[in-house]
Structures are given as structure tokens and as C-alpha cells.
Amino acid sequence: MKRTIKTLALALAAIMLLSVLLVGCSDTESQNPDQQQDNAVDDSASEPTYEELVAKLPTLKFLVDDSDVAQRDAQAFQEMWKRNLGINVEIESTTFQNRRERMQSRDYQIVYAGWGPDYNDPMTFMDLWITGSGLNEADYSNPQYDELIEKAKNSADNNERMDAMLEAEKILMEDMPIGPIYFRYRDYVKKPEVKDEVRRYIGPDLDLYWTSVDGKDTINLNLGTEPPQMDPQLTDDTISMQVINGVFEGLTRMDKDGKAMPAMAEKWDVSPDGMKWTFHLRDAKWSNGDPVTAQDFEYAWKRALNPETGAGYAYIMYPIKNAEAYNTGKITDPNEVGVKALDAKTLEVTLELPTPYFDTLTSFATYMPLNQKFYESVKDKYGSEPENLIYNGPWTISEWTHESKMVLKKNPGYWNANAIKLNTINYVMINDNTTGVNMFISGQLDMVGLRGDQRDQLKNEGYELLHFSDGSSWYLQFNTKDPIMQNAKIRKALTYALDRNLYVKNVLMNDSKPALGYVPDVMPGKGGPGTFRKENGDLIKDNNQEEAKQLLIEGIKELGLDK
């Protein structure tokens, strides 16, 4: 009986409470619109708006060089960030050299950067971002990423290597120390008489090894600028490398498809574990009549690795046993480096790690041979004038007027001279692209590169527009040690907010491709050439404004800037 009374009492109380709530609701609904609006304002006052939160973000700074192209790109991104995120990004302009110095000293927040491949494997892109890498100017560090790259480097199984790098790229895009923008394709035109030029994305972008010109044995080209460094062990620029590729030859040479073909080495053997490579040299001569020997390669490679030489590309030899240790001073005896001339015609190379693409590395400029006797006769003058070089490639330098022109002549002593169709290559050094295009139109040049805004002009002149991938990936690079850029969500917001399709179409105005991942679409993967990008798919979305805004707000809060 008591339980029934208690139950009725509780039910009555519940009904009375429900009535009060309903009355309250009714009272609220009966308020005039102004009162309702006041209440809404009061309720939301505790939660700042998007605009209020974004206003708390300090002005971000975008470091660029003072070239017209760099300014154009920076202004395009600045406008998109303002329109799509509502944030102000200040453009800091400086000289190219100062920009590089500031990147190296980590004195920046955001910078626009790019990387082109040194060899035909995704590793040329992936190992930039391991902890402590000299090229890791974002100061990015992720132990899981490092572990995957180390796994890929230590595996001789291509599928296993690629799987590790595919997973590592996903981590990189999740952490986003770099925000992909586009993969560069470059335009050019040529006279109809020019046949079989090879445009490539490894090393020099123009290879004339197979080229011919109908009706003559001469080609006229614009080199663009003075080759900065014609010493193969010291060079680090593509202009010099283009000439070096013509007048020198390594153990291998890149064929038309970007694979290693026999050059100074007529064949090579690889041990079952992939750790020892033995190159067998053919009969070949330097332009002074000396034989090209295995000792020339051993001497050149150890010179490049000697820390006193200061070779910028010494790291490309790090697959060789003890190469990095010698180059960084951990060991001082060059005889511990895994390269040895067994005799005049046999070079044995022992690797630090399995490197399936090592044969392609030996076509790179740093791996070119060096005649010790000749080098020691000219010392520091080596590479400065035609007479301070000897050659083992298809051509020799017959004339060099600095800052003006360079003339290459066919090398009659080259082992494969009968296959070389061009007798003369005339290079001018015109660094103004408009002048170069006008020289092409007037018949002074046989081939010339184009900017996007010059395409219509040449098309109207009746020329076929040609393009090729130079293999480079362009991206925003963030200083991950910066107080603001240390936040991954803010880095992602800046990346996601950009409209890559609009940028390529309206700013670049060429056949470049929006990048929705880091590794370019030309790099090989498990399934063959050009498949790495397809295998990993799109890892970011283009022009993803809603998510960019959400990430920006979350990043601002994580940094405590909303307080």
C-alpha cells in the first residue's frame, strides 16, 4: 500500500514537472522576435566565430625569391589563402641566394620548393625527409617514416621496397611537412628538321646522343646561361650537366627509355645478394690518347667523396660501402671505400645496402671518370677552359667564349662515334626567354623552351607544341620547428585550401599536372615505369576548402591561440 502511494506521488510530481517544462517552452516561443534574437546572441557569445578565431592567428610569412615567376606564384597562393581561408599571408621577397641561405638556417615559415630526381627510383624523393638528412630543410622527423625508408633501403626485393615507400608517403602526407602543388611538365618547340632528341627527367633534360638534323650535321641551341661548374665531381646544376653529358661518359649511359645502357662499361655482373657489382670496361680513349681505365673511376669517385673536395652531390655515392662514412669524416682511409680497380679493365664496387638501380647512378655526372695524371697537371684550373679538360664522350669542347657561347665538336676517338650524327653543337647563352623565342622564330635556334604565356604565339606561328615531364615535384615546404608551422593541422589547412587545377590552368598555363601526392607520376613502382603514383593513388584532395577551414580552427585551438 505504501509503495502504491509512493508511486502515485512520484507520477504526480513527474506530471507537474513536465507541465512546468512545457509552460517554459511555451513562454519561450511566445517571446517577441527581438527577445529570441537577444537570447541567441547571448547563447553564442561564449563560442567565437570562425572569423574571430582566424583573427587570432598571427600573420604568416611566405619566403620567395625576387624573380618574376616566384612573385607570380606567391601572389597566386596569397590570393587563394585570403579567399578560401580568410587569412593574411605576407610575402617576403629576397634574392635567390639569400632564400637558399634562410632555408638552410631554418629562418622561414613557408617556402615554395621543388625537387627533381637524381635517379630513376622513388627513393630519390623519399630519403630527403628522414630525420637529420642534410636536405631535410623542413626539419621533419617521424620515427615510423625513418623505419620504413630504412627498410626499403635494406631490401633487395623490389616489391618489398616499394611497399615500404608507399606506406612512408602516406605518413608524409598525413604529417604534411610539405604540401604538394604540381608535377612539372615543360613546353618546347623545334624546327621540323630536328629528329630524335630525347627529353628526360634524370640528369640533363636534353640528350642529343641520337639526334639528327635533316640537311645538316649542326644544331643551334640556347644553353640559357654560362655553365657554372664543368668539373663533373663538383657540378650540381643542370646547365653544366647537359654539357658534361655530351663530353664525358660514365660506366653507363641512360638510354631513350631512362634505363642504363652500356657505355664505358661494356657489361657488368651483380652478385646474388645485390651487394657487389663488377664492371668490365671496353677499349676506350681519352681525347689526349690515354686509355680510359678502371683506375680513372676509382680515383674520380674517391675524390668526390673526399670531404676536402666539397662535392655537393657526394651523397649520391652513399650506396657504396663506407662512402658516407668517408665523406662525413667518420673514417679517413679512402681504401676502406668499396670501390677498387682490380685491373685496368675491371672495377669492383661493394655496396653498403642493396641498390637495384645502382647501374643508373653510374651515368650521373659525379660518377664520371677522371684521368689522374691530367688532373694533377692542371689542378684547380680543371674544367675552367677547353684546354683544361680532356674528354671521353661523344663530343669535345672546341670553343668556349664565357657568358656568350660554347661550341662542341664530334669526338673522333669516341668508341661509338659512328652512331653520333651531330658533328657540331652550337650553344648560345641567352638568359632571357623572350629573346630566345625570337631567335627561334628568326631561324637562329633549332629548338627552344617556352613559358605558358608563349604557347599561343608559337602555335599561331605554325609550330607543334611539345612537352615533357622533367620529373620534378613542387610543393609548399613548412618549417616544422616554427611556433606556428609546428602544427600539422595548420600545415594541412594551407595545403588543402589551394586550387591546383586553377593554378596550373591560369598561372602556369602549360601541361603540368596538379599533384595530389608527393612522388611524381613518372617514377617507377612495383608494376613498371610510371606506376608509383598510380599504386598509391591520390593522398590529398584539391581545393578542399571546408576541411581546410575545420583544420585551421582545430590547429589554432591546439596552439592555444584561441585563449
Side-chain angles (χ1 to χ4, degrees):
M1 185 67 175
K2 291 182 178 178
R3 177 174 297 177
T4 302
I5 295 172
K6 187 174 182 181
T7 302
L8 289 172
L10 288 172
L12 182 60
I15 291 170
M16 293 176 65
L17 177 60
L18 182 59
S19 299
V20 171
L21 290 173
L22 289 172
V23 170
C25 291
S26 178
D27 287 346
T28 301
E29 291 170 358
S30 67
Q31 291 176 357
N32 64 52
D34 291 338
Q35 288 177 310
Q36 291 186 45
Q37 186 174 359
D38 289 343
N39 286 343
V41 171
D42 291 339
D43 290 341
S44 63
S46 59
E47 181 64 31
T49 65
Y50 175 85
E51 289 75 16
E52 289 171 335
L53 282 171
V54 169
K56 296 177 180 291
L57 185 70
T59 299
L60 303 179
K61 296 185 177 182
F62 189 16
L63 179 65
V64 300
D65 66 59
D66 52 9
S67 69
D68 290 345
V69 171
Q71 294 294 310
R72 175 203 69 185
D73 293 339
Q75 289 167 12
F77 298 150
Q78 181 188 49
E79 174 60 28
M80 282 190 269
W81 284 323
K82 179 67 175 177
R83 183 178 67 245
N84 297 342
L85 287 180
I87 63 174
N88 295 313
V89 177
E90 177 186 327
I91 297 174
E92 290 186 285
S93 298
T94 185
T95 63
F96 178 83
Q97 181 177 350
N98 184 252
R99 170 181 165 275
R100 287 295 303 130
E101 290 171 353
R102 288 184 59 181
M103 289 171 68
Q104 291 164 357
S105 63
R106 314 302 190 260
D107 180 20
Y108 74 94
Q109 281 188 308
I110 313 166
V111 71
Y112 195 27
W115 185 258
D118 295 327
Y119 49 92
N120 195 23
D121 189 89
M123 187 60 76
T124 189
F125 289 92
M126 300 303 294
D127 67 356
L128 266 66
W129 309 110
I130 58 175
T131 303
S133 164
L135 299 168
N136 182 356
E137 294 174 347
D139 267 347
Y140 171 65
S141 180
N142 183 313
Q144 188 180 1
Y145 182 87
D146 295 347
E147 183 180 336
L148 286 165
I149 298 304
E150 187 68 15
K151 179 180 180 181
K153 286 185 173 182
N154 280 279
S155 175
D157 181 276
N158 191 57
N159 286 347
E160 185 176 55
R161 291 177 63 251
M162 292 297 169
D163 282 338
M165 287 190 282
L166 290 166
E167 188 62 30
E169 189 192 36
K170 292 176 182 176
I171 292 172
L172 191 70
M173 291 297 92
E174 180 63 28
D175 292 346
M176 202 149 285
I178 57 171
I181 303 297
Y182 78 106
F183 302 138
R184 187 164 68 183
Y185 281 69
R186 293 164 57 186
D187 293 323
Y188 72 101
V189 289
K190 64 176 182 176
K191 299 296 183 182
E193 298 80 14
V194 177
K195 304 289 197 308
D196 296 324
E197 79 283 359
V198 173
R199 309 306 300 250
R200 63 170 85 255
Y201 54 85
I202 304 294
D205 62 42
L206 174 61
D207 194 336
L208 301 171
Y209 195 85
W210 299 272
T211 305
S212 63
V213 182
D214 290 347
K216 60 179 183 177
D217 61 2
T218 299
I219 193 168
N220 302 307
L221 301 169
N222 182 17
L223 200 55
T225 187
E226 169 84 2
Q229 180 54 267
M230 282 298 296
D231 181 335
Q233 273 70 60
L234 295 181
T235 196
D236 61 2
D237 70 279
T238 57
I239 299 296
S240 301
M241 286 182 187
Q242 181 168 319
V243 180
I244 286 170
N245 186 59
V247 301
F248 288 94
E249 187 163 275
L251 293 169
T252 62
R253 177 177 284 276
M254 302 295 279
D255 69 11
K256 292 181 180 181
D257 298 319
K259 296 185 172 73
M261 72 179 199
M264 287 293 101
E266 59 183 356
K267 61 181 180 178
W268 51 93
D269 307 315
V270 185
S271 62
D273 63 358
M275 298 294 283
K276 184 168 290 187
W277 294 61
T278 305
F279 294 89
H280 305 279
L281 275 63
R282 68 174 74 251
D283 291 330
K285 293 185 180 298
W286 290 99
S287 54
N288 69 351
D290 289 351
V292 178
T293 67
Q295 285 84 359
D296 294 334
F297 286 94
E298 179 180 355
Y299 180 72
W301 296 8
K302 288 180 177 178
R303 172 179 176 250
L305 290 168
N306 188 331
E308 294 182 3
T309 302
Y313 263 109
Y315 70 86
I316 203 169
M317 291 183 162
Y318 284 1
I320 300 171
K321 183 178 180 180
N322 284 330
E324 182 175 9
Y326 178 52
N327 184 240
T328 56
K330 293 178 182 177
I331 63 172
T332 57
D333 183 1
N335 292 321
E336 293 183 48
V337 176
V339 55
K340 183 177 181 181
L342 301 182
D343 55 45
K345 293 290 187 69
T346 312
L347 185 73
E348 182 181 85
V349 184
T350 304
L351 301 185
E352 189 80 44
L353 301 167
T355 310
Y357 50 86
F358 185 72
D359 51 357
T360 65
L361 293 184
T362 64
S363 68
F364 196 80
T366 316
Y367 282 85
M368 297 296 173
L370 179 60
N371 182 299
Q372 183 176 359
K373 181 180 177 182
F374 180 83
Y375 174 74
E376 291 179 349
S377 72
V378 296
K379 296 284 187 180
D380 294 341
K381 296 179 181 178
Y382 184 69
S384 61
E385 301 289 345
E387 61 269 23
N388 294 327
L389 283 168
I390 56 173
Y391 315 95
N392 73 319
W395 297 276
T396 66
I397 300 175
S398 67
E399 184 181 348
W400 186 357
T401 304
H402 292 282
E403 308 291 344
S404 178
K405 68 177 182 179
M406 179 181 280
V407 179
L408 307 189
K409 290 289 186 180
K410 185 175 177 177
N411 179 4
Y414 176 60
W415 70 273
N416 199 24
N418 290 337
I420 306 303
K421 301 177 181 69
L422 291 175
N423 185 64
T424 305
I425 303 171
N426 293 315
Y427 284 122
V428 294
M429 302 172 189
I430 306 295
N431 61 13
D432 180 73
N433 187 257
T434 300
T435 301
V437 168
N438 290 335
M439 290 177 68
F440 172 82
I441 293 173
S442 66
Q444 298 175 71
L445 296 177
D446 295 311
M447 188 185 306
V448 71
L450 301 177
R451 296 193 312 262
D453 59 355
Q454 296 167 329
R455 288 161 57 107
D456 288 345
Q457 177 189 0
L458 273 295
K459 192 173 181 180
N460 292 336
E461 293 279 348
Y463 291 102
E464 180 186 3
L465 300 181
L466 304 169
H467 71 273
F468 69 101
S469 168
D470 69 2
S472 62
S473 177
W474 291 81
Y475 44 81
L476 299 175
Q477 180 173 297
F478 304 104
N479 179 1
T480 62
K481 296 298 188 289
D482 177 81
I484 304 299
M485 291 301 111
Q486 66 175 300
N487 186 272
K489 290 182 177 177
I490 289 181
R491 301 196 296 263
K492 286 183 181 180
L494 292 168
T495 300
Y496 291 1
L498 296 180
D499 189 332
R500 289 154 188 77
N501 282 292
L502 186 68
Y503 170 70
V504 169
K505 180 180 178 181
N506 293 348
V507 179
L508 298 180
M509 295 188 291
N510 60 21
D511 294 296
S512 294
K513 298 182 180 180
L516 301 180
Y518 166 51
V519 177
D521 52 349
V522 294
M523 285 288 104
K526 292 186 287 186
T531 60
F532 186 94
R533 182 73 278 123
K534 291 179 182 178
E535 288 167 5
N536 227 16
D538 296 342
L539 299 181
I540 62 173
K541 292 181 180 178
D542 186 39
N543 196 25
N544 192 4
Q545 296 180 33
E546 290 307 311
E547 187 171 356
K549 289 180 178 179
Q550 182 63 35
L551 287 165
L552 184 64
I553 294 303
E554 291 175 8
I556 289 171
K557 291 179 177 179
E558 286 179 3
L559 290 173
L561 298 175
D562 59 324
K563 307 302 183 188

